[in-house]
Amino acid sequence: MEPLQEQEGETIGDNELAVERKRKLSCFERIFSIVFKKKPMMDINKNEKLLELLKPIRYKPDTVEQMALETKFTKEEVKSLYRAFKQECPTGISDEDTFKDVYQKIFPLGESSKYAHLVFNSIDREQTGGITFGDFMDFLSVLTKGSEEEKILWSFEFYDVNRDGIISRDEMIKVTDSIYDLVGAETHPKIKMQNVEQVFSCMDSNRDGIITKEEFVRYCSDTHNVSRNLAVLP
């Protein structure tokens, strides 16, 4: 069993980076390329305090083989991602401020704070205030290796902001507003509400004012544009 540990003197290979540049990057891949650039050392004490708060709630693989098996990445991909993550986050934790900063660099013309906060919370399911490498790999695995159904289920959890198992109209408005802010779209509030109402009504098949997981999955599976766009989440 090969332990998952940082190997000194190694960096992500030049050939690996060249391949990345040649293909179209998804939103998250662009995020990853920015957040793990070499930059001045962050506040280690802050991350160490976060680390103390993090307690293992579910099993996380501690070897390259186990993580590769669970996330569908190759062993070399796992090691490369781990080295990059540890270079940026020596304690093994990424905080929300770093995450927000990344989104602002990718979407400089918009206000990304609300959207980045929602994405961060969707990854930090236990609300610890930090994302471990295991959390990060689970998230990345769904977006890049997951099936259409897995991506749809992740999207449902993203819209279910308060995690009560349903999506309310207010939650859909909150997420939609964050997306408009993210891309810097100048859209009249009335038009925003019309768009939200149209989508919400289509999803809410029994007209009870809420969207269940089943209704969400059915709508996303049956709507071509939605299914196609899941390939570039978040």
Side-chain angles (χ1 to χ4, degrees), residues 23 27 34 73 92 102 124 137 141 188 206 216 218-219:
R23 66 187 179 85
C27 176
I34 292 177
F73 285 99
V102 169
D124 181 24
M137 288 297 289
S141 176
H188 194 280
N206 64 357
F216 186 88
R218 187 184 310 117
Y219 174 83

Side-chain angles (χ1 to χ4, degrees), residues 12-66:
I12 298 177
D14 293 338
N15 291 337
E16 206 173 320
L17 292 175
V19 171
E20 286 294 309
R21 294 191 185 101
K22 288 180 181 178
R23 66 187 179 85
K24 183 178 179 181
L25 298 180
S26 71
C27 176
F28 185 77
E29 288 169 322
R30 284 181 284 136
I31 291 172
F32 186 80
S33 69
I34 292 177
V35 72
F36 295 120
K37 278 184 178 178
K38 186 71 174 179
K39 64 181 183 181
M41 185 64 70
M42 61 191 301
D43 186 351
I44 301 300
N45 290 332
K46 181 178 180 181
N47 261 7
E48 286 178 344
K49 291 177 182 178
L50 282 174
L51 186 59
E52 290 297 321
L53 296 175
L54 289 175
K55 302 297 180 183
I57 296 179
R58 61 184 185 281
Y59 173 76
K60 288 294 180 184
D62 56 5
T63 68
V64 173
E65 290 85 356
Q66 286 175 308

